[in-house]
Amino acid sequence: MDTWLLSRMQELRDLQGLIGLATWDQETYLPAKAGPARAHQLATLQGLHHERLVDPRLGEALAKAASQDSLSEDERAMVRVLSREREREVRVPSALVKALAEAQSSALHAWREARKAKSFAVFQPGLQRLVELRREQADAYGHGGERYDALLEGYEPGMRVERLTPVLTALREHLIPMVEKLAAAHRTVPRLFDGRRYDRDAQWAFTVRLLKDMGFDLEAGRQDLSIHPFTGGTHPLDVRLTTHLDESNPLSAITSTIHEAGHGLYEQGFAPEHYRTPLAASPSMGLHESQSRLWENIVGRSRPFWEHYFPVLRAAFPDALHGVDVDGFHRAVNEVRPSLIRVEADEVTYNLHIALRYELELLLVRDELPLSELPTAWNARMEKYLGVTPPDDARGVLQDIHWAWGELGYFPTYALGNLYAASLYRAAERALPDLSGHLRRGELLPLRDWLRANVHSQGFRLPAEELVRGVTGRGLTDADFLAYLREKYSALYGVSL
Amino acid sequence: MDTWLLSRMQELRDLQGLIGLATWDQETYLPAKAGPARAHQLATLQGLHHERLVDPRLGEALAKAASQDSLSEDERAMVRVLSREREREVRVPSALVKALAEAQSSALHAWREARKAKSFAVFQPGLQRLVELRREQADAYGHGGERYDALLEGYEPGMRVERLTPVLTALREHLIPMVEKLAAAHRTVPRLFDGRRYDRDAQWAFTVRLLKDMGFDLEAGRQDLSIHPFTGGTHPLDVRLTTHLDESNPLSAITSTIHEAGHGLYEQGFAPEHYRTPLAASPSMGLHESQSRLWENIVGRSRPFWEHYFPVLRAAFPDALHGVDVDGFHRAVNEVRPSLIRVEADEVTYNLHIALRYELELLLVRDELPLSELPTAWNARMEKYLGVTPPDDARGVLQDIHWAWGELGYFPTYALGNLYAASLYRAAERALPDLSGHLRRGELLPLRDWLRANVHSQGFRLPAEELVRGVTGRGLTDADFLAYLREKYSALYGVSL
């Protein structure tokens, strides 16, 4: 490949890494008064990244490279991935970029006010403006009649409404009766978090042990504290996780560390030959999320995992966990209960929260639902899918920040993450016949190595579904996820699902 | 001022801030394996900064602005400062920039090897190449016959060999007999660091208390740990200090915190109207260093300061400091002893280490000393100025990293820092008649406020010496510094200096 083109690819990756650094720092160590200064610095970096990406010389070099026969397969993939990203960026007029940034900023402010006032009406004009601009942006990107596709493409390249809707609808229809059965089942779980104190240092030590056991390389990454846990960093050898310590509930830190480490292992697992190129990236948010959810839920809430780790946990918190056994603990971390808040939802009800959001934002983007009716539509679906009614908009339609950021098309990637996770895990079980034995012995590396070889090291060579198909033998499906839930929760609840 | 020009100034400052962030992170939190990735990211940022600075459109905008009558005085200063920086950058051909970077990299490697081998010969070819390239660079910058001036200008704008040499020579001639007298004086000091342990947490807490007392704003900055203490950051509201904890010697952390906080207060003290412009900067390294040395030495080794803080220190380390009183402690932190290593030197001998380096690098840049004779010339001066003989090159000519970085012209700024510090402190004493009373009561804010008003908030409006002249009534002089030493050390040592 042309030296100039390669150096531009590297420069773009370096800028993205620096945006990652400035963002990570903002959430971890930035002094309180430096917020506005950091916003300027980030805007400058993002402006430079945009300028370099839309540079016509880059477009010419990419076009020229695409027509060359001498490129390797990886080089062709690099050109393809960057061309796609560039074309999307080029198509949005800078006036629209500016209008979106302003609309996001004021919608974010309105959203915060609306949550305080518990009133969607306060947020409605800001959201209206954002939805209109995002429709405009979808048209600028281009689509085949379904605007939502153009937005989805920004998070889940290659995915389409036509493909996604039947899967999420069928999933929803399977989940509703399953949730009903589980909610009706009588079961006792120990109350672990009723005022007991869990020492912060011991929580931290436990999370670091998990990171090490999972094979997260602490010489090529780190863990820090932040209010909201996230995975960031600057490079596959500089992957930064954060967690959050809650003195009354160590599961908060434990599950968030395992979740973020799932993302982090993905980032650390990119192939060295892809570093500083467009291929050192996940092909989609959904596939990235599959890694965090596979570790957090399928591994980190499993019986074999806790057979190994519960004794360790009890040794770390001998007073708080006095009298609790692995059975009770495992039941407690797998309690299914229809609830109002997505981020607190268990793995059975979770996708119903997503189905609801996906359906609503599809209606909004298609202009088939007046915004004034959004809270009513939200509440109606909550009742229908989960049997619960939000007492106010703050615990209903206003609960997530995503729409205030103008993110339409993002929510379904969470469900895709769950579905891909189950399918990949099933494939891992076939490849590693003693997988649950490994977990029972605290051996997490065989699974990490299998994921690294089959998923992480592929980077962005293939679109997400195609990559999954290559590994599992089939593409997007709810079958593995539903089978996983049925098997696990039938046993846990003693009901037939 | 032109909006475009202002936004380019801001962009350049943002890029400098981001270079500051990436550098700070490299020394504090960067994972071990990410070094090469960070080097790429920094090179990308520096490349973009260079590209924006030499952009001909910026040159035109600056030239146009310089010819406008409508600019405010500050705006004229911004244009002047940035034009000067830009012209220097433009004059160095990119081939030379590249050659210098490569020569630095290999000289740095050779310097490390040479130190291990304790042999200057290993370093000599690398240094030879760097000196030649720096001469070439000096010619590219342009000068009036004295190449060293062009290099000095990079650290100490406006300063010239013609002005500097007589001052440093006279200073040297005053110091040599002073050091001799002090070295001959008999004096007993308590041995504080002979294996006693000083708790790290207590050291940290003491340094944080000092930062607060000095008025370093911990909401507009922070302190972290690093191997070598430094001051960095991204903005006057995001100033980052580091310190280093040594369990056997708390003075290491204390003096480095006070020193770096002196730099940090300067950065935090820039005027808000100068943020993100070329004026939010010190006019010289020497003036910047004056602030760190004023606080570290003149305040932080003074009797009034320790009358307040020694009881606090003793309370923090009751075992280690058992039986030590403020008299003994004050003597111990002000021990004058000719020694081999600059960074361990006391404030009386320190400038002799600088005079030696300045004289030698002037000879090197003028091509008046063959490099093969450098160790001999070094050792001869050590004997003449300080009466000590380096046992090997590692503890002699190879001790500093500066020349391996190609930094010729930097060392004198340390001496300028000492001289400016004494003159500014004398002016502060005139303006604050109860200054030593303030220190005795632990009131450090009056001094900080005076420095902020008279030095920090001026930013880069004036060249360093002109700024100092405006505050003290005269420019660069060794008189205040020598008077300070004579007064302090005559009393401490009971000799007539």
Side-chain angles (χ1 to χ4, degrees):
Chain A
M1 187 159 45
D2 188 56
T3 320
W4 186 87
L5 179 56
L6 181 62
S7 73
R8 279 302 175 101
M9 285 179 173
Q10 292 170 333
E11 187 188 60
L12 286 165
R13 284 315 252 174
D14 288 341
L15 287 172
Q16 287 164 4
L18 291 157
I19 291 169
L21 177 64
T23 309
W24 168 84
D25 184 74
Q26 192 171 37
E27 303 299 325
T28 52
Y29 295 121
L30 190 73
K33 292 180 183 170
R38 178 53 47 86
H40 285 307
Q41 290 157 358
L42 271 166
T44 288
L45 270 181
Q46 280 151 347
L48 283 166
H49 184 269
H50 171 80
E51 181 187 306
R52 299 304 241 216
L53 187 55
V54 302
D55 183 349
R57 286 172 300 175
L58 180 61
E60 287 156 25
L62 285 167
K64 193 178 140 216
S67 70
Q68 281 169 350
D69 293 332
S70 60
L71 295 194
S72 70
E73 213 163 312
D74 268 4
E75 286 172 335
R76 267 201 298 279
M78 289 173 197
V79 170
R80 193 171 58 237
V81 168
L82 187 57
S83 298
R84 176 193 152 279
E85 190 194 345
R86 184 177 178 279
E87 275 156 32
R88 279 176 67 84
E89 191 101 349
V90 166
R91 285 177 182 178
V92 184
S94 54
L96 179 53
V97 172
K98 197 161 166 262
L100 265 165
E102 286 164 5
Q104 275 162 358
S105 171
S106 71
L108 209 51
H109 178 75
W111 177 73
R112 293 191 213 282
E113 294 301 310
R115 276 168 63 91
K116 276 187 223 158
K118 301 184 180 178
S119 161
F120 176 74
V122 176
F123 180 44
Q124 189 182 319
L127 182 57
Q128 183 71 47
R129 173 88 179 129
L130 268 179
V131 172
E132 283 161 12
L133 289 170
R134 288 286 273 160
R135 282 192 207 121
E136 208 180 305
Q137 191 184 29
D139 291 342
Y141 286 141
H143 51 80
E146 181 70 78
R147 278 188 177 127
Y148 194 89
D149 281 344
L151 302 182
L152 190 56
E153 178 75 13
Y155 310 108
E156 198 66 26
M159 187 47 64
R160 296 289 175 264
V161 167
E162 196 179 27
R163 170 106 188 89
L164 187 58
T165 299
V167 176
L168 293 190
T169 307
L171 177 63
R172 185 192 75 196
E173 291 310 305
H174 282 104
L175 289 176
I176 292 173
M178 200 185 287
V179 169
E180 279 169 5
K181 276 191 204 169
L182 291 171
H186 184 70
R187 207 176 64 133
T188 53
V189 293
R191 296 282 134 221
L192 303 175
F193 315 120
D194 52 359
R196 309 173 194 216
R197 311 300 288 171
Y198 293 84
D199 178 65
R200 290 168 59 90
D201 290 345
Q203 288 191 43
W204 180 262
F206 191 80
T207 64
V208 171
R209 170 169 181 164
L210 287 175
L211 291 177
K212 288 179 182 163
D213 288 355
M214 287 172 73
F216 180 80
D217 184 350
L218 285 161
E219 293 195 345
R222 38 184 300 118
Q223 180 176 260
D224 296 270
L225 295 174
S226 69
I227 293 172
H228 302 289
F230 67 96
T231 299
T234 79
H235 187 276
L237 295 174
D238 180 20
V239 179
R240 305 194 181 198
L241 319 178
T242 69
T243 192
H244 179 74
L245 302 178
D246 175 349
E247 275 211 326
S248 65
N249 180 356
L251 277 184
S252 163
I254 292 168
T255 57
S256 80
T257 287
I258 300 176
H259 181 99
E260 302 308 333
H263 285 303
L265 288 176
Y266 200 160
E267 297 283 320
Q268 287 189 339
F270 295 134
E273 66 266 29
H274 294 167
Y275 291 175
R276 299 179 79 222
T277 81
L279 293 193
S282 168
S284 84
M285 304 293 294
L287 195 62
H288 221 307
E289 194 72 9
S290 78
Q291 299 305 292
S292 54
R293 284 164 189 262
L294 185 155
W295 283 102
E296 178 193 349
N297 291 334
I298 305 183
V299 174
R301 297 182 193 275
S302 73
R303 175 76 197 204
F305 179 87
W306 284 111
E307 279 176 25
H308 179 78
Y309 284 104
F310 184 71
V312 183
L313 191 72
R314 199 168 41 195
F317 306 105
D319 296 335
L321 293 177
H322 181 76
V324 180
D325 64 8
V326 64
D327 267 338
F329 185 82
H330 185 236
R331 280 201 307 278
V333 300
N334 286 293
E335 202 179 356
V336 177
R337 195 168 38 177
S339 67
L340 296 168
I341 307 297
R342 175 184 60 87
V343 295
E344 297 167 5
D346 57 84
E347 57 181 336
V348 185
T349 58
Y350 188 91
N351 288 311
L352 291 171
H353 291 271
I354 298 304
L356 171 160
R357 285 158 177 75
Y358 171 64
E359 294 161 16
L360 293 178
E361 61 184 29
L362 191 54
L363 291 172
L364 292 180
V365 172
R366 286 173 169 174
D367 206 2
E368 292 175 358
L369 177 74
L371 217 53
S372 57
E373 292 174 24
L374 185 63
T376 313
W378 179 288
N379 292 350
R381 276 178 173 75
M382 283 300 284
E383 281 163 42
K384 197 169 152 201
Y385 300 168
L386 287 158
V388 295
T389 310
D392 55 50
D393 291 344
R395 278 171 284 182
V397 67
L398 292 173
Q399 68 183 261
D400 299 303
I401 199 170
H402 300 58
W403 290 345
W405 278 331
E407 286 190 337
L408 296 162
Y410 192 107
F411 280 122
T413 70
Y414 293 134
L416 292 171
N418 288 322
L419 302 186
Y420 284 146
S423 297
L424 290 169
Y425 193 79
R426 181 112 324 176
E429 286 179 319
R430 287 192 297 268
L432 305 168
D434 191 29
L435 179 52
S436 73
H438 286 307
L439 300 188
R440 199 169 286 115
R441 294 185 297 274
E443 296 161 7
L444 307 180
L445 294 184
L447 178 58
R448 184 206 69 163
D449 291 343
W450 184 87
L451 290 167
R452 178 161 290 182
N454 288 279
V455 180
H456 309 168
S457 62
Q458 300 305 306
F460 204 155
R461 280 177 175 144
L462 299 172
E465 190 175 2
E466 210 175 309
L467 187 153
V468 171
R469 186 176 293 117
V471 179
T472 67
R474 55 181 171 174
L476 180 63
T477 173
D478 61 3
D480 296 316
F481 179 70
L482 286 166
Y484 158 73
L485 289 186
R486 285 200 177 96
E487 191 183 330
K488 174 172 175 176
Y489 289 92
S490 295
L492 258 165
Y493 276 75
V495 293
S496 165
L497 293 172
Chain B
M1 187 160 45
D2 189 57
T3 320
W4 186 86
L5 178 56
L6 181 62
S7 72
R8 279 301 175 101
M9 285 179 173
Q10 292 171 332
E11 188 189 61
L12 286 165
R13 285 313 254 175
D14 288 341
L15 287 172
Q16 287 164 5
L18 291 157
I19 291 168
L21 177 65
T23 309
W24 168 84
D25 184 74
Q26 192 171 38
E27 303 300 324
T28 51
Y29 295 122
L30 190 73
K33 293 180 182 170
R38 178 53 47 86
H40 285 306
Q41 291 157 358
L42 271 166
T44 288
L45 270 181
Q46 280 150 348
L48 283 165
H49 184 270
H50 171 80
E51 181 186 307
R52 299 304 241 215
L53 186 56
V54 302
D55 184 349
R57 287 171 300 175
L58 180 63
E60 288 156 25
L62 285 167
K64 194 178 140 213
S67 70
Q68 280 168 352
D69 293 333
S70 59
L71 295 193
S72 70
E73 213 164 310
D74 268 5
E75 286 171 336
R76 267 201 298 279
M78 289 172 197
V79 170
R80 192 172 59 236
V81 168
L82 187 56
S83 297
R84 177 193 152 277
E85 190 193 345
R86 183 176 179 280
E87 276 156 32
R88 279 177 67 84
E89 191 100 351
V90 165
R91 284 177 183 179
V92 184
S94 53
L96 179 53
V97 173
K98 197 160 167 263
L100 266 164
E102 286 164 5
Q104 275 162 358
S105 171
S106 71
L108 208 51
H109 178 74
W111 176 73
R112 293 190 211 282
E113 294 302 310
R115 278 168 61 91
K116 276 187 225 157
K118 300 183 181 178
S119 160
F120 176 74
V122 177
F123 180 43
Q124 189 183 318
L127 181 57
Q128 183 71 47
R129 172 88 179 128
L130 269 179
V131 172
E132 282 162 14
L133 289 170
R134 289 284 275 161
R135 281 192 207 120
E136 206 179 308
Q137 191 184 29
D139 292 341
Y141 286 141
H143 52 80
E146 180 69 80
R147 277 188 179 127
Y148 194 89
D149 282 343
L151 303 181
L152 191 56
E153 177 75 14
Y155 310 108
E156 199 66 25
M159 186 49 64
R160 296 288 174 266
V161 168
E162 195 177 29
R163 170 106 189 88
L164 188 57
T165 299
V167 176
L168 293 190
T169 307
L171 177 63
R172 186 193 75 198
E173 292 309 306
H174 282 105
L175 289 176
I176 292 174
M178 200 184 287
V179 169
E180 278 169 5
K181 276 191 203 169
L182 292 171
H186 183 71
R187 209 175 63 132
T188 53
V189 295
R191 295 283 135 219
L192 303 175
F193 314 121
D194 52 359
R196 307 174 195 215
R197 309 302 287 170
Y198 293 83
D199 179 65
R200 289 168 59 91
D201 290 344
Q203 288 191 43
W204 180 262
F206 191 80
T207 65
V208 171
R209 171 170 177 162
L210 287 175
L211 290 177
K212 288 180 181 161
D213 289 355
M214 288 173 73
F216 180 80
D217 184 350
L218 284 162
E219 293 195 344
R222 40 183 301 119
Q223 180 176 261
D224 296 271
L225 295 174
S226 69
I227 293 171
H228 302 289
F230 67 96
T231 299
T234 77
H235 187 277
L237 294 173
D238 181 20
V239 179
R240 306 194 180 197
L241 319 178
T242 69
T243 192
H244 180 74
L245 302 178
D246 175 351
E247 275 210 327
S248 65
N249 179 356
L251 277 185
S252 162
I254 292 168
T255 56
S256 81
T257 287
I258 301 176
H259 180 99
E260 301 308 334
H263 285 303
L265 288 177
Y266 199 161
E267 297 284 319
Q268 287 189 339
F270 294 134
E273 67 266 29
H274 294 166
Y275 291 176
R276 300 179 78 222
T277 80
L279 293 193
S282 168
S284 85
M285 304 294 294
L287 195 62
H288 221 308
E289 194 72 7
S290 78
Q291 299 305 292
S292 54
R293 284 164 189 262
L294 185 155
W295 283 102
E296 179 193 350
N297 291 334
I298 305 183
V299 174
R301 297 183 194 274
S302 72
R303 174 77 197 204
F305 179 87
W306 284 110
E307 279 178 24
H308 178 79
Y309 284 105
F310 184 70
V312 183
L313 192 72
R314 199 169 40 196
F317 307 105
D319 296 335
L321 292 177
H322 181 75
V324 181
D325 65 9
V326 64
D327 267 338
F329 185 81
H330 184 236
R331 279 201 308 278
V333 302
N334 285 292
E335 202 179 357
V336 177
R337 195 168 37 177
S339 66
L340 295 168
I341 307 297
R342 176 185 60 86
V343 297
E344 296 166 4
D346 58 83
E347 56 183 336
V348 184
T349 57
Y350 189 90
N351 289 312
L352 291 171
H353 291 271
I354 298 303
L356 172 159
R357 285 157 177 77
Y358 171 64
E359 292 159 19
L360 293 178
E361 60 183 29
L362 192 54
L363 292 171
L364 291 179
V365 172
R366 286 175 170 172
D367 207 1
E368 292 176 358
L369 177 73
L371 217 52
S372 56
E373 292 173 22
L374 185 63
T376 313
W378 178 287
N379 292 350
R381 276 179 172 74
M382 283 301 285
E383 280 161 43
K384 196 169 151 202
Y385 300 169
L386 287 157
V388 295
T389 309
D392 55 51
D393 291 344
R395 279 171 283 181
V397 67
L398 292 173
Q399 68 183 262
D400 299 302
I401 199 170
H402 301 57
W403 288 345
W405 277 331
E407 286 189 339
L408 296 162
Y410 192 106
F411 280 122
T413 71
Y414 293 134
L416 291 171
N418 289 323
L419 302 187
Y420 284 147
S423 296
L424 289 169
Y425 194 78
R426 182 113 323 176
E429 285 179 319
R430 287 193 296 268
L432 304 167
D434 190 28
L435 180 51
S436 73
H438 286 308
L439 301 187
R440 199 168 287 115
R441 293 186 296 275
E443 297 161 7
L444 307 180
L445 294 184
L447 179 59
R448 183 205 69 164
D449 292 343
W450 184 87
L451 290 167
R452 177 161 291 182
N454 289 279
V455 180
H456 309 167
S457 63
Q458 300 306 305
F460 205 154
R461 280 177 177 144
L462 299 172
E465 189 176 3
E466 210 174 309
L467 187 152
V468 171
R469 186 176 292 115
V471 179
T472 67
R474 54 179 172 176
L476 180 63
T477 172
D478 61 2
D480 296 316
F481 178 71
L482 287 168
Y484 157 74
L485 290 187
R486 286 201 175 97
E487 191 182 331
K488 175 171 174 176
Y489 289 92
S490 295
L492 259 165
Y493 276 74
V495 293
S496 166
L497 293 173

